[in-house]
Amino acid sequence: MAIQKPTLPKGTRDFGPLQMARRNYIFDIIKDTFKLFGYQQLETPSMENLSTLTGKYGDEGDQLLFKILNSGDYLKDVAPSDIEAGAAATLAKVSEKGLRYDLTVPFARYVVMNRNEITYPFKRFQIQPVWRADRPQRGRYREFYQCDADVVGTDSLVCELEILLMIKRVFASLGLKDYAIKLNNRKILTGLAEVIGAAGREGELCVAIDKLDKIGWAKVQEELQQRSFKQEAIGKLSPIIDLLGSNREKLDFLESFLKDSEIGLKGIVELREVLELLNQYGESEDFVDFDVVLARGLSYYTGAIFEVKVNHVSIGSVSGGGRYDNLTGVFGLEGVSGVGFSFGVDRIYDVLEELNLFPTEQLEGTQVLITYFEEEGRNYGLQVLNKLRTAGIASELYPDVVKIKKQFTYADKKQIPFVMVLGSDEINAKQVSLKNLISGQQESMDLSDAIKMIQGQ
Amino acid sequence: MAIQKPTLPKGTRDFGPLQMARRNYIFDIIKDTFKLFGYQQLETPSMENLSTLTGKYGDEGDQLLFKILNSGDYLKDVAPSDIEAGAAATLAKVSEKGLRYDLTVPFARYVVMNRNEITYPFKRFQIQPVWRADRPQRGRYREFYQCDADVVGTDSLVCELEILLMIKRVFASLGLKDYAIKLNNRKILTGLAEVIGAAGREGELCVAIDKLDKIGWAKVQEELQQRSFKQEAIGKLSPIIDLLGSNREKLDFLESFLKDSEIGLKGIVELREVLELLNQYGESEDFVDFDVVLARGLSYYTGAIFEVKVNHVSIGSVSGGGRYDNLTGVFGLEGVSGVGFSFGVDRIYDVLEELNLFPTEQLEGTQVLITYFEEEGRNYGLQVLNKLRTAGIASELYPDVVKIKKQFTYADKKQIPFVMVLGSDEINAKQVSLKNLISGQQESMDLSDAIKMIQGQ
């Protein structure tokens, strides 16, 4: 066979031991939180039929789907003339499956296919990779994990409360303190468009307002003019743009501002209710920031909208979500409403790295390496190893009889905190010599004492 | 959009909450064991370049690779005449990536690409799905998980010992008692071929002998004749086929049988050494069964060969592995030797189900559902919920104000073991009424006592 130097496909990554330990640290905190709140795990196949995926993510999304070549003679239905018809026209003849593009469409498909077996309200979480044939760049990969939780089959705002609480718990567990959960409600945006005399145009309105942080109010006004919003309408928006104060102050102002919009007032009621539930739960609302210009997912969100940003880092939002009233309509099942959100694990990883928040101690891995000088030491070491593992201590015996320095280098590189040295003194006294590689301290002792020391008792 | 009834691609599966809990139960036991033994986790991308995958699994394997259509205009290099050239000839023009077919080739690629950063001996485990375009059938899927552990960069037989110990620990943790780890050594098979006068033909020999269980010795002899093994050679094998006794007795017999084969005797020495290490570790060798006709992976295994079968179930082997001396030669890096093995998680799942060995208690999920009659109860429930979660108890508040019966049905379907009922008595007394849905007992108490009861204190 010809020798080749292997490479990775563009936009994909290996995760070695250190990265895996850090990723598992994040995943475990998220999973524990989801489970503490009663969410149940779902996994769907990596492949879906193209008929399930296509048309769900817009034209651009369809382009970015990874398609799988049909097995066997994939050209059997293709005529030479199809080549001239082009790639798009020929696609259905060579591919019928694609890779998962997100976790929402597979979840919707699962709900439709299992609608009679599911226990509602159905609280599910799903942590799996997705694939997008995007142009790779810094922080953007072709394979990355999504981490979603949704509850469907209830309109209760207790679900919105729980999303706020789950985000808070995950961030607290990760040591992330300086962040804000921005909260808005689609109905308020709809109401805003109504009261400024641009009913039904909240989408356009939000696209422009979304740029406020980047380009400022003056430029946003220009853009609204270009989108043929009337000057009077734009003028009415000014007090909204400058809105300051506590959540309650903002809500009071908007309640009066939206007094002529039924739907807008409904949004205010919902938002107040979420804050009231937070209060009943015994939580302060300090970590929640009502942001009337927060607009995302306008094509599907119908109620609450969430977005989480960590302050003082270069990275965009690390979590977001919202309430929808029609998860499964595309598959012919109407009326499945719910609310969900997602953690961006790759971004959270980068944030923790940037802020130096990963724990400094070894996250997972061997606690003790047993080292020795000759075969007699190895045999004694095997007995020690058995006892360490029976005590639940992750431990290794260096497998080869080599110089002790080499064995210590191995411990060092693997960041193993303790090394046991088994020389003839230890073997004769039936003891072990335990060295703490962090403090540098070393002493001989009975194995039972060493076990206590390693377990930090 | 046209309404469609969604389906799953052939040979793929959704894993709902119960299946996920059971799969996680198996995965967690395996992962804990790998970590206890000092193995570190690796994850590689789902996609690999076809140049990495092709030619590594034989012609049949190449056929079974799922190939990914190039992004964008995948037909841009295809001429109408290519269609007549056929699918195989055109493949390189429309696809350059494929889905992972196993975990070994990606591991080899990783070792080659990171050979200077890796700490040797490198003990890695990897638990990820693989994809094969096989014809789906009962127990055979197009997407399934593999669960591999390998150590490379050492020839120490301590690694073989540890594989036996890891298998034993996993099976003990799963409650699987009636199984056997079959152990053989490739060198013994090579030696057997030598001493019967068929040097170099152990592959053919083993293909025939492998059928012993199914077709019996008489038919195996016929097959060996058809493969033009000499009658004398076949006759010499008879005592091997009938070999009975303890591991030591079999080894003693073979040591004399193989006395003229240097490599065969080396195999005996290695096998004895593994059993001796087991003895030094303080383990009986009862769970290990030296099986001189065990032959698998003959194209790459060079030393120990493992296979694990559960007795009295219809399912084939659930784990297997062996020692190799050239993991990365196909990528131009020679001399990387190691030993590895794999758990078949789907099969283990089926075995546990067949033997009714999954724990009967709920494996993961909500411990307590808080139920109530009206809004006042819900608000009190939110305070209770906060305290339950702070105590680390997975708990839920039914999100909607509905009839209590409906709330109990929810608890029942989700197999939630405890339900709290918050009526006006409980609210006034600042207590909770805790019902154990398994025993049926219900009583009112302080929340702190309820927490202790739920935690089983």
Side-chain angles (χ1 to χ4, degrees):
Chain A
M1 173 165 311
I3 281 165
Q4 44 173 333
K5 209 169 178 182
T7 57
L8 275 175
K10 263 192 308 185
T12 70
R13 298 163 288 173
D14 287 321
F15 298 115
L18 176 65
Q19 291 153 305
M20 279 308 297
R22 290 180 163 188
R23 287 170 67 84
N24 286 338
Y25 167 75
I26 299 171
F27 284 131
D28 287 348
I29 284 173
I30 293 173
K31 269 188 239 176
D32 282 353
T33 301
F34 288 160
K35 288 182 187 171
L36 188 67
F37 281 71
Y39 284 73
Q40 297 181 301
Q41 194 168 7
L42 172 69
E43 283 191 5
T44 63
S46 303
M47 301 171 184
E48 295 278 354
N49 292 320
L50 280 180
S51 56
T52 299
L53 299 174
T54 308
K56 310 304 186 295
Y57 308 106
D59 288 346
E60 201 205 6
D62 287 351
Q63 293 297 320
L64 299 184
L65 290 173
F66 276 110
K67 288 110 187 165
I68 293 164
L69 211 54
N70 291 341
S71 308
D73 183 5
Y74 62 90
L75 286 178
K76 68 180 191 302
D77 298 327
V78 179
S81 59
D82 287 321
I83 301 305
E84 272 129 43
T90 313
L91 182 64
K93 297 186 174 181
V94 299
S95 171
E96 59 187 25
K97 291 187 290 290
L99 293 180
R100 191 167 53 215
Y101 181 86
D102 72 358
L103 303 180
T104 303
V105 167
F107 174 51
R109 179 201 44 73
Y110 177 85
V111 169
V112 172
M113 287 178 65
N114 298 277
R115 59 188 174 279
N116 297 323
E117 291 79 45
I118 288 172
T119 304
Y120 300 96
F122 182 38
K123 301 168 88 169
R124 90 86 171 78
F125 77 88
Q126 194 168 352
I127 301 179
Q128 292 193 276
V130 301
W131 295 269
R132 297 182 183 180
D134 234 326
R135 188 180 297 274
Q137 59 183 48
R138 201 180 141 77
R140 191 203 281 161
Y141 302 99
R142 292 184 149 191
E143 174 177 54
F144 57 97
Y145 270 75
Q146 287 194 337
C147 204
D148 284 18
D150 286 80
V151 46
V152 295
T154 172
D155 295 329
S156 168
L157 294 168
V158 168
C159 305
E160 274 81 343
L161 164 70
E162 296 217 322
I163 289 177
L164 296 174
L165 295 171
M166 285 191 278
I167 294 170
K168 182 175 184 187
R169 185 181 193 275
V170 165
F171 277 48
S173 303
L174 292 171
L176 273 168
K177 290 183 187 113
D178 196 3
Y179 69 95
I181 306 183
K182 292 184 179 184
L183 178 62
N184 198 7
N185 192 297
R186 164 60 183 272
K187 297 185 177 79
I188 292 177
L189 294 169
T190 306
L192 276 185
E194 279 182 17
V195 300
I196 67 165
R201 298 182 65 194
E202 70 261 33
E204 282 175 273
L205 188 65
C206 291
V207 167
I209 289 182
D210 196 38
K211 298 176 186 160
L212 199 58
D213 275 357
K214 283 187 198 133
I215 62 177
W217 177 226
K219 294 260 182 207
V220 168
Q221 289 184 70
E222 276 176 36
E223 179 166 337
L224 287 169
Q225 278 165 354
Q226 280 159 20
R227 289 175 180 269
S228 68
F229 279 80
K230 292 195 186 122
Q231 191 54 48
E232 192 197 341
I234 300 171
K236 279 188 183 162
L237 277 178
S238 280
I240 301 300
I241 302 303
D242 297 330
L243 199 56
L244 290 173
S246 70
N247 291 331
R248 305 290 169 159
E249 286 163 351
K250 292 184 202 167
L251 283 166
D252 289 344
F253 176 86
L254 272 162
E255 188 165 321
S256 118
F257 192 85
L258 295 172
K259 66 180 186 300
D260 295 327
S261 165
E262 193 184 336
I263 190 162
L265 290 175
K266 181 127 203 306
I268 300 286
V269 167
E270 288 180 9
L271 247 163
R272 282 194 195 278
E273 168 86 7
V274 171
L275 296 178
E276 175 57 24
L277 289 170
L278 201 54
N279 185 32
Q280 290 293 341
Y281 191 82
E283 277 286 353
S284 125
E285 62 184 70
D286 293 351
F287 67 108
V288 179
D289 180 16
F290 169 40
D291 181 357
V292 71
V293 296
L294 172 66
R296 54 182 286 167
L298 291 183
S299 59
Y300 38 94
Y301 290 148
T302 54
I305 306 173
F306 307 94
E307 186 170 88
V308 189
K309 278 192 174 143
V310 180
N311 298 323
H312 312 304
V313 293
S314 54
I315 288 146
S317 75
V318 294
S319 176
R323 175 171 284 279
Y324 41 83
D325 63 4
N326 189 4
L327 178 69
T328 54
V330 288
F331 297 117
L333 182 65
E334 299 293 334
V336 177
S337 66
V339 56
F341 77 115
S342 180
F343 285 110
V345 170
D346 287 288
R347 286 186 172 181
I348 290 175
Y349 188 105
D350 290 346
V351 167
L352 294 182
E353 200 156 56
E354 187 171 336
L355 297 177
N356 227 350
L357 284 176
F358 280 115
T360 49
E361 73 271 19
Q362 181 207 40
L363 284 170
E364 49 186 41
T366 304
Q367 287 293 298
V368 191
L369 176 71
I370 301 172
T371 67
Y372 53 91
F373 299 91
E374 54 209 16
E375 198 173 298
E376 195 192 358
R378 188 197 65 185
N379 288 344
Y380 178 53
L382 285 168
Q383 296 159 36
V384 171
L385 185 63
N386 192 345
K387 297 210 173 74
L388 287 171
R389 288 181 180 154
T390 302
I393 296 169
S395 42
E396 293 181 60
L397 173 86
Y398 196 88
D400 299 287
V401 184
V402 296
K403 289 210 174 106
I404 204 89
K405 188 168 180 302
K406 190 169 179 188
Q407 301 179 56
F408 267 81
T409 303
Y410 176 82
D412 201 44
K413 285 199 178 163
K414 259 184 114 167
Q415 290 189 280
I416 298 173
F418 292 97
V419 171
M420 278 184 186
V421 185
L422 306 182
S424 49
D425 287 355
E426 285 77 19
I427 299 169
N428 292 335
K430 294 198 182 296
Q431 287 201 317
V432 299
S433 173
L434 184 68
K435 180 163 187 173
N436 180 324
L437 288 194
I438 296 157
S439 70
Q441 281 192 312
Q442 179 167 4
E443 57 178 314
S444 289
M445 61 186 83
D446 287 341
L447 178 56
S448 55
D449 293 325
I451 287 174
K452 282 182 194 151
M453 188 169 281
I454 293 159
Q455 289 175 331
Q457 290 168 359
Chain B
M1 174 167 308
I3 280 164
Q4 44 175 331
K5 209 169 180 181
T7 57
L8 275 175
K10 262 193 307 186
T12 69
R13 297 164 288 173
D14 287 322
F15 299 115
L18 177 65
Q19 291 152 306
M20 279 309 297
R22 290 181 162 187
R23 289 170 66 85
N24 286 338
Y25 166 75
I26 299 171
F27 283 131
D28 286 348
I29 285 173
I30 293 173
K31 269 189 239 176
D32 281 353
T33 301
F34 288 160
K35 288 182 186 173
L36 188 66
F37 281 70
Y39 283 73
Q40 297 180 300
Q41 194 167 7
L42 172 69
E43 283 191 5
T44 63
S46 303
M47 301 171 183
E48 295 277 354
N49 292 319
L50 280 180
S51 55
T52 299
L53 299 173
T54 308
K56 310 304 188 296
Y57 308 106
D59 288 345
E60 201 204 5
D62 287 351
Q63 293 296 321
L64 299 183
L65 289 173
F66 277 110
K67 287 110 186 166
I68 293 164
L69 211 52
N70 291 341
S71 310
D73 183 6
Y74 62 89
L75 286 176
K76 69 180 190 302
D77 298 327
V78 179
S81 59
D82 286 322
I83 301 303
E84 272 127 43
T90 313
L91 181 63
K93 296 185 175 181
V94 300
S95 170
E96 58 187 25
K97 290 186 290 289
L99 292 180
R100 192 166 54 216
Y101 181 87
D102 72 358
L103 303 179
T104 303
V105 167
F107 174 51
R109 177 199 48 71
Y110 177 86
V111 169
V112 173
M113 286 178 65
N114 299 276
R115 58 190 176 278
N116 298 321
E117 290 78 46
I118 288 171
T119 304
Y120 300 96
F122 182 37
K123 299 167 91 168
R124 90 86 173 78
F125 77 88
Q126 194 168 350
I127 300 179
Q128 293 191 274
V130 301
W131 296 269
R132 296 182 184 180
D134 234 326
R135 189 180 297 274
Q137 60 183 46
R138 201 179 140 78
R140 193 204 278 161
Y141 302 98
R142 291 184 149 192
E143 173 176 54
F144 58 98
Y145 270 74
Q146 287 194 335
C147 204
D148 284 19
D150 287 80
V151 45
V152 295
T154 172
D155 295 329
S156 168
L157 295 168
V158 168
C159 305
E160 275 80 342
L161 163 70
E162 296 216 323
I163 289 177
L164 296 174
L165 295 171
M166 284 190 281
I167 294 170
K168 182 175 182 186
R169 185 181 193 276
V170 165
F171 277 48
S173 303
L174 292 172
L176 274 167
K177 291 187 186 107
D178 196 3
Y179 68 95
I181 305 182
K182 293 185 179 185
L183 179 62
N184 197 7
N185 192 298
R186 164 61 183 271
K187 297 185 177 79
I188 292 176
L189 294 168
T190 306
L192 276 183
E194 279 182 19
V195 300
I196 65 165
R201 298 183 63 195
E202 69 261 35
E204 282 174 274
L205 187 64
C206 290
V207 167
I209 290 183
D210 195 38
K211 299 176 185 160
L212 199 56
D213 275 357
K214 283 187 199 137
I215 62 177
W217 177 225
K219 294 263 181 203
V220 168
Q221 289 184 72
E222 276 176 34
E223 178 165 338
L224 286 169
Q225 279 165 354
Q226 281 159 18
R227 289 174 181 269
S228 67
F229 279 80
K230 293 195 185 121
Q231 192 54 50
E232 192 198 342
I234 298 171
K236 278 188 184 161
L237 276 178
S238 280
I240 299 302
I241 301 303
D242 299 328
L243 199 56
L244 290 172
S246 69
N247 291 331
R248 305 289 169 158
E249 285 164 351
K250 291 184 202 167
L251 283 166
D252 288 346
F253 176 86
L254 272 162
E255 186 164 325
S256 115
F257 191 84
L258 295 171
K259 65 180 187 301
D260 295 326
S261 165
E262 193 184 335
I263 190 162
L265 290 174
K266 180 119 204 311
I268 299 287
V269 168
E270 287 181 8
L271 247 164
R272 282 196 195 278
E273 168 85 6
V274 171
L275 296 177
E276 175 57 24
L277 289 170
L278 202 53
N279 186 32
Q280 289 294 342
Y281 191 83
E283 277 286 353
S284 125
E285 62 184 71
D286 293 352
F287 68 108
V288 179
D289 179 17
F290 169 39
D291 181 357
V292 70
V293 296
L294 172 66
R296 55 183 282 168
L298 292 182
S299 58
Y300 38 93
Y301 290 148
T302 54
I305 305 173
F306 307 93
E307 187 170 88
V308 188
K309 278 191 175 146
V310 179
N311 297 325
H312 313 302
V313 292
S314 55
I315 286 145
S317 75
V318 293
S319 176
R323 176 170 283 281
Y324 42 82
D325 65 3
N326 190 4
L327 177 69
T328 53
V330 287
F331 297 118
L333 182 66
E334 299 291 336
V336 176
S337 65
V339 57
F341 77 115
S342 182
F343 285 110
V345 170
D346 287 290
R347 287 186 172 180
I348 290 175
Y349 187 105
D350 291 344
V351 167
L352 294 183
E353 201 155 56
E354 187 171 337
L355 297 178
N356 227 348
L357 283 177
F358 279 115
T360 49
E361 73 270 19
Q362 180 207 41
L363 284 169
E364 50 187 39
T366 303
Q367 287 295 297
V368 191
L369 177 71
I370 301 171
T371 67
Y372 53 92
F373 300 89
E374 53 209 21
E375 198 173 298
E376 195 192 357
R378 188 197 66 186
N379 288 343
Y380 179 54
L382 285 168
Q383 296 159 35
V384 171
L385 186 63
N386 192 344
K387 297 212 174 71
L388 287 171
R389 289 181 180 155
T390 302
I393 296 170
S395 42
E396 294 183 60
L397 172 86
Y398 196 87
D400 299 287
V401 183
V402 296
K403 288 206 174 114
I404 205 87
K405 188 168 180 300
K406 190 167 180 191
Q407 300 179 57
F408 268 82
T409 303
Y410 176 83
D412 201 46
K413 286 202 179 161
K414 260 185 114 167
Q415 290 189 279
I416 298 173
F418 292 97
V419 170
M420 276 184 186
V421 184
L422 305 183
S424 50
D425 287 355
E426 285 78 19
I427 298 169
N428 292 333
K430 293 198 182 295
Q431 287 200 316
V432 298
S433 173
L434 184 68
K435 179 162 189 175
N436 180 325
L437 289 194
I438 296 158
S439 71
Q441 282 191 312
Q442 178 168 2
E443 56 179 314
S444 288
M445 61 187 83
D446 287 341
L447 178 57
S448 56
D449 293 325
I451 287 174
K452 281 183 196 151
M453 188 170 281
I454 294 158
Q455 290 174 329
Q457 289 168 0

